[in-house]
Amino acid sequence: MTTSATAATASGVVKAKQSLPARIAARAGGGALRVFLILVGLFWLMPTVGLLLSSLRSPSDIASTGWWKIFNEPSQLTFHNYSNLLDNSTITDSLLSTVVITVPATVLVVAIGSFAGYAFAWMDFPGRDWWFMVVVSLLVVPVQVALVPVAKLFGEIGIFETTVGVITFHVAFGLPFAIFLLRNFFAEIPRELLEAARLDGAGEIRLFTRVVLPLGGPAIASLGIFQFLWVWNDMLVALIFADSKHPPITVALQQQVRQFGNNIDVLAPGAFVSMVIPLAVFFAFQRQFVSGVMAGAVK
């Protein structure tokens, strides 16, 4: 009885020390909080749903009523806009140009960042810490500051308004974050594991490919998703450095608005397709993304 009374008293003291918001949060931690989060998620997805439904309506319906009217008149649904999109060579070519830019820029950043991150984490060379500080300092350099000097440099070496120039710019500005992220992740790998592999005769290349890369998979996947989304959705760099005859999708859609202000039957499906592809990439690697973001949070 004494033990039970003591436990009850201690529990009452703990509850008394909790603030009112903490008690409300504890009681709402069940169904009410889940319902609230679901509503927030649906509200966040509303623009995407609106764009999808608008892409499935005719231009006259879009001009006369809002996209929510489709729930009362399902007959408005049509895939004619997507047929027009496939017949629009500017949009289809821009999608191909975006893939040609995004995939190499992502692969190069991940590959170079992985090698450099491993070198900064586990290899000894003169000035290692100073060089890493230089890399970290580059994180604060805004893209806008480098646009004019880099444009002049690319013009002198002949890669201005080329796909190579856009890829080079994205790789250059993506590497500081990639090296910083992967170096910190690789540094958390137990030293004993690497030393055991070295005792077994593993060299640096084999150690990197057989031990470090498998353990760093979540961080590498997170980096790849970040880089892919940044390059795919970029408009500023593409607007300045990309080939004006073969622009990426972001620039192509902007040019469509400027030239044909009311061709919503092409703009709506084009915008939705350009948004669906990075969303598909994100959801395909969402587990690795979450693992990489949470890496190091719990020991």
Side-chain angles (χ1 to χ4, degrees):
M1 294 296 293
T2 303
T3 304
S4 301
T6 304
T9 303
S11 177
V13 171
V14 171
K15 292 182 179 180
K17 289 182 178 180
Q18 288 182 340
S19 62
L20 179 60
R23 293 198 300 269
I24 295 176
R27 294 179 180 179
L33 182 59
R34 293 182 180 179
V35 171
F36 173 75
L37 293 177
I38 291 174
L39 292 177
V40 171
L42 293 176
F43 182 78
W44 180 77
L45 289 174
M46 189 176 297
T48 305
V49 175
L51 180 61
L52 171 61
L53 296 180
S54 296
S55 68
L56 296 173
R57 303 175 73 211
S58 64
S60 59
D61 291 332
I62 295 174
S64 59
T65 59
W67 58 266
W68 52 87
K69 293 294 183 180
I70 203 170
F71 295 106
N72 296 330
E73 300 178 17
S75 58
Q76 294 183 0
L77 290 172
T78 177
F79 288 95
H80 186 67
N81 292 343
Y82 286 92
S83 177
N84 293 339
L85 178 68
L86 295 177
D87 293 335
N88 190 316
S89 59
T90 301
I91 300 296
T92 53
D93 291 344
S94 66
L95 284 172
L96 179 60
S97 299
T98 307
V99 173
V100 171
I101 292 172
T102 304
V103 173
T106 303
V107 172
L108 287 174
V109 167
V110 171
I112 299 174
S114 299
F115 281 112
Y118 172 76
F120 280 116
W122 293 109
M123 296 181 67
D124 293 326
F125 55 89
R128 182 185 67 175
D129 295 336
W130 287 105
W131 281 112
F132 184 69
M133 291 299 297
V134 172
V135 172
V136 173
S137 65
L138 292 176
L139 290 171
V140 302
V141 177
V143 175
Q144 293 81 359
V145 172
L147 292 178
V148 175
V150 172
K152 292 181 179 180
L153 175 63
F154 283 4
E156 293 177 357
I157 62 179
I159 61 173
F160 185 71
E161 287 195 351
T162 63
T163 301
V164 175
V166 182
I167 295 174
T168 303
F169 191 96
H170 283 303
V171 170
F173 275 84
L175 278 177
F177 175 73
I179 296 173
F180 174 76
L181 174 68
L182 295 181
R183 182 266 178 192
N184 292 338
F185 189 90
F186 292 160
E188 294 182 356
I189 298 175
R191 180 180 295 273
E192 293 78 8
L193 185 61
L194 301 180
E195 291 178 352
R198 288 192 175 97
L199 290 176
D200 291 337
E204 296 296 339
I205 298 297
R206 188 173 182 181
L207 188 66
F208 175 74
T209 56
R210 297 293 182 88
V211 179
V212 175
L213 281 185
L215 294 176
I220 294 173
S222 300
L223 172 64
I225 292 174
F226 275 124
Q227 180 69 11
F228 184 93
L229 295 179
W230 177 51
V231 178
W232 184 276
N233 295 320
D234 169 74
M235 182 175 178
L236 178 61
V237 176
L239 193 61
I240 297 174
F241 294 96
D243 186 357
S244 58
K245 296 181 180 179
H246 304 284
I249 185 64
T250 52
V251 178
L253 290 175
Q254 185 267 343
Q255 292 175 348
Q256 293 283 314
V257 174
R258 185 177 61 206
Q259 295 175 0
F260 314 102
N262 47 358
N263 60 340
I264 192 65
D265 57 326
V266 173
L267 293 176
F272 184 76
V273 170
S274 68
M275 183 174 57
V276 162
I277 294 177
L279 280 177
V281 172
F282 174 79
F283 285 117
F285 298 97
Q286 59 178 330
R287 291 186 178 180
Q288 291 84 354
F289 176 77
V290 173
S291 299
V293 170
M294 296 299 295
V298 180
K299 293 294 184 180

